[in-house]
Amino acid sequence: MNIIANLNKMFESRIRLGIMSILMVNDWVDFLALKELLEVSDGNLASHLKALESEEYMEVRKQFVGKKPKTSYRASLLGRNEFNLHLENLNKLLSNTQEVVKKRD
Amino acid sequence: MTQKEQHLSDLKQIRSLMEKSTRFLSLSGLSGVFIGVFALFGAMAAYVYFDYSFYYGETQDMIYFADSQTRNQFLLFVFTDALSVLLLALSFGFYFTWRKAKRRGDKIWDNTFKRLLINLFIPLVAGGLFGLILLYHGEVAILPAITLIFYGLALVNASHYTLNDVRALGILEIFLGLIAVFFIGYGLFFWAVGFGVLHIIYGTLMYFKYERN
């Protein structure tokens, strides 16, 4: 099963996979929105964001809304490509099972 | 969990997050409550105007056959009543949603909100124009039912872009509109239930489900 090797290790974590899913279909998404969508703690989310950031899978923007600091994230081109590749490989792994064939758009 | 199940559930999670993150989630339950309250006020005004009756079976005669002064007076009342309800409901509706968005730190005028409005207004405007054309033909008998049905369809359509619960409200409005077709002349009653009572119930449920914490 050398195909397993193609699955990106970065997306082994449910949370990192979730973060990238959200960033794929949105422009800038802020920390609070990610936290609410993924239902995780601040610290947990922050550490996964840092991991994705250090791989340059996403861009980070810090700004102030009134007096509150607000950090937003956007998927980078590299991140998008890696995520699409990962999705393709997941689908390839599953394409022989009927369940997925039915679910694929 | 086998490897396959793991991959499958990964894909499910991806799909669900993509869907959830593209919806407008700041829609406030209190907006619904206030829209309902103003609709009830409007219905109450009409109830008084129709001599304390929900039945206005002669409305059609009024528009078709009454002398122009009575007719104009009637139409003026209906338009003033409907327009004030609409303006008050919309402004309070926007206010509470804006407030919830601000509290969540969301921008109200973002893509999810724009998408929600566009998809809400396509069936709504179609229904509104259809209603006006019926009015132009002097056909007011099924007008209340039509407005409820189109409003329900608009909500069902919009529910893909906001809280999924809106879908249930939409289906109830459609159902109510269909019942209203059987009871010609009682449109005011169905309006009061559809735009007033249902909004208040829905808004209250949403408020306790999502906001009171």
Side-chain angles (χ1 to χ4, degrees):
Chain A
M1 291 281 276
N2 66 335
I3 203 159
I4 294 281
N6 290 337
L7 284 179
N8 193 329
K9 283 259 192 299
M10 269 311 273
F11 299 131
E12 254 171 25
S13 144
R14 262 304 164 91
I15 295 168
R16 288 199 288 267
L17 189 69
I19 293 169
M20 284 307 291
S21 309
I22 295 165
L23 296 184
M24 287 299 285
V25 289
N26 288 282
D27 199 20
W28 291 100
V29 181
D30 64 82
F31 189 89
L32 185 70
L34 285 175
K35 192 184 147 194
E36 283 187 3
L37 282 163
L38 295 164
E39 292 165 12
V40 287
S41 70
D42 283 16
N44 202 354
L45 179 59
S47 73
H48 287 294
L49 284 169
K50 209 156 267 157
L52 285 168
E53 191 189 343
S54 66
E55 290 288 318
E56 295 184 349
Y57 281 12
M58 56 182 204
E59 301 164 44
V60 183
R61 183 179 69 182
K62 285 181 184 161
Q63 53 181 177
F64 280 87
V65 178
K67 279 180 184 167
K68 280 187 201 158
K70 182 168 166 164
T71 315
S72 307
Y73 305 87
R74 180 165 75 175
S76 67
L77 192 60
L78 174 69
R80 287 181 174 276
N81 289 339
E82 290 296 331
F83 186 84
N84 281 329
L85 202 65
H86 183 75
L87 259 189
E88 236 170 71
N89 287 332
L90 272 182
N91 271 324
K92 252 186 231 159
L93 276 170
L94 289 162
S95 58
N96 52 346
T97 69
Q98 222 178 350
E99 214 176 339
V100 173
V101 174
K102 251 197 306 187
K103 294 229 166 192
R104 281 172 84 184
D105 302 325
Chain B
M1 220 191 271
T2 68
Q3 198 105 51
K4 227 161 217 166
E5 281 166 344
Q6 174 71 46
H7 297 331
L8 203 60
S9 93
D10 276 2
L11 282 176
K12 266 187 204 142
Q13 193 213 12
I14 292 168
R15 192 174 290 124
S16 115
L17 275 172
M18 283 181 167
E19 194 191 63
K20 220 163 81 177
S21 67
T22 46
R23 288 165 183 254
F24 181 75
L25 299 170
S26 289
L27 200 65
S28 168
L30 291 178
S31 296
V33 173
F34 274 86
I35 290 169
V37 167
F38 287 118
L40 279 186
F41 276 138
M44 191 112 70
Y47 178 70
V48 172
Y49 187 82
F50 294 137
D51 293 326
Y52 298 93
S53 164
F54 274 124
Y55 185 69
Y56 64 121
E58 281 108 50
T59 320
Q60 187 131 15
D61 300 346
M62 184 101 77
I63 287 179
Y64 253 143
F65 306 112
D67 60 278
S68 64
Q69 206 196 335
T70 320
R71 185 170 55 212
N72 288 343
Q73 217 179 3
F74 172 77
L75 287 177
L76 184 70
F77 168 78
V78 171
F79 277 117
T80 318
D81 192 28
L83 203 67
S84 5
V85 169
L86 190 69
L87 286 180
L88 281 169
L90 277 183
S91 33
F92 274 76
F94 272 116
Y95 169 72
F96 283 105
T97 290
W98 171 78
R99 206 181 65 159
K100 184 175 170 189
K102 207 177 114 186
R103 197 172 295 167
R104 285 166 50 93
D106 288 348
K107 268 189 295 179
I108 185 164
W109 196 246
D110 66 356
N111 280 329
T112 56
F113 190 59
K114 265 182 256 176
R115 218 165 6 199
L116 167 65
L117 282 189
I118 289 167
N119 288 286
L120 177 74
F121 274 96
I122 290 170
L124 210 56
V125 169
L129 291 176
F130 187 44
L132 284 176
I133 296 165
L134 283 181
L135 203 62
Y136 166 77
H137 288 299
E139 287 291 342
V140 291
I142 56 164
L143 196 57
I146 290 291
T147 52
L148 283 170
I149 291 170
F150 271 94
Y151 181 57
L153 291 172
L155 289 181
V156 170
N157 199 40
S159 70
H160 299 294
Y161 305 94
T162 183
L163 306 172
N164 212 22
D165 314 78
V166 170
R167 190 182 184 80
L169 178 65
I171 288 167
L172 284 176
E173 301 280 3
I174 295 171
F175 190 62
L176 194 70
L178 290 175
I179 297 174
V181 193
F182 283 108
F183 297 93
I184 304 282
Y186 290 93
L188 183 58
F189 171 76
F190 286 99
W191 264 343
V193 175
F195 292 115
V197 178
L198 284 186
H199 275 139
I200 294 173
I201 295 173
Y202 164 83
T204 312
L205 289 177
M206 290 308 100
Y207 181 72
F208 281 104
K209 185 170 171 188
Y210 296 110
E211 286 158 70
R212 231 204 56 175
N213 46 34

